[in-house]
Amino acid sequence: MQLTREDGLVLDTDPARIDLDLVHHWLSRDAFWALGRDRETVVRSIANSVVLGVYTPGHAEQLAFARVVTDHATFGWLCDVYVDRPARGRGLGTWIAESVVELLAPYRLKRLLLSTLDAHEVYARAGFEPVRDPQKLMMIGQQ
C-alpha cells in the first residue's frame, strides 16, 4: 500500500524502503519502550511484521516508522510507532494509525491493540479506545 498526502508525504508498506539503520537508531536511542534494542532484534521484528514508513516526496527521507504484528485473521498489535522529532506535530502518528486501520480492515480482525503511555489522543482519532476490561489482559515481561 502506498498513500500520498496533500502535502506530498508518502506512506509506504514496502519493507525494502525502510531505512534499517535509521529505525534502529530511533528505537534504540530515543524510544523509551525500546532503549538499547539491538539491531538484530530490530531487523528480525521488521522481517516478521507489516511495516509502514512515512517519507518525504520521492522517498528522499524517512520521517516515521511503525509496524503491526498480525495473523491477518483475528488479531493485530500496532507497535513501535515512531515519528522523527523534527517531523512531530504534523499529524503523522494519526495518519499512520488511520492507515493501519484501513490496511487491516479487509481482514476483519476481532482485535487491533496498541499500548501507549502518552499519545492516547493521537490513536483515539483513528478509532482506538481504552480497553473496557483491562483486568482480562495478562502479560509476561511487565516493566
Side-chain angles (χ1 to χ4, degrees):
M1 174 171 81
Q2 189 176 67
L3 303 170
T4 303
R5 284 198 335 183
E6 290 179 10
D7 61 4
L9 294 180
V10 176
L11 184 145
D12 196 338
T13 59
D14 182 354
R17 295 193 185 272
I18 299 295
D19 183 335
L20 294 172
D21 291 328
L22 180 62
V23 170
H24 173 250
H25 175 81
W26 284 341
L27 295 178
S28 67
R29 297 193 182 171
D30 194 41
F32 69 86
W33 66 90
L35 293 175
R37 188 177 290 174
D38 63 76
R39 190 176 191 283
E40 177 189 343
T41 299
V42 171
V43 169
R44 196 171 60 241
S45 70
I46 288 171
N48 291 293
S49 301
V50 175
V51 295
L52 298 93
V54 175
Y55 307 90
T56 56
H59 289 81
E61 180 184 3
Q62 186 170 346
L63 302 177
F65 170 80
R67 66 187 185 92
V68 180
V69 180
T70 183
D71 59 9
H72 289 99
T74 63
F75 179 78
W77 179 267
L78 173 58
C79 54
D80 287 342
V81 179
Y82 185 92
V83 177
D84 195 17
R85 288 189 178 272
R88 292 180 186 174
R90 297 167 58 184
L92 299 184
T94 298
W95 188 34
I96 288 170
E98 290 170 343
S99 299
V100 165
V101 170
E102 177 184 333
L103 175 69
L104 297 177
Y107 301 106
R108 300 179 318 201
L109 304 180
K110 185 172 183 172
R111 287 185 184 83
L112 178 57
L113 298 176
L114 63 82
S115 176
T116 184
L117 179 65
D118 58 0
H120 294 78
E121 68 286 346
V122 169
Y123 299 110
R125 288 186 213 114
F128 287 89
E129 57 188 39
V131 174
R132 287 188 198 105
D133 298 314
Q135 69 277 7
K136 291 182 180 178
L137 295 175
M138 297 178 71
M139 65 185 285
I140 293 174
Q142 298 183 42
Q143 294 180 1

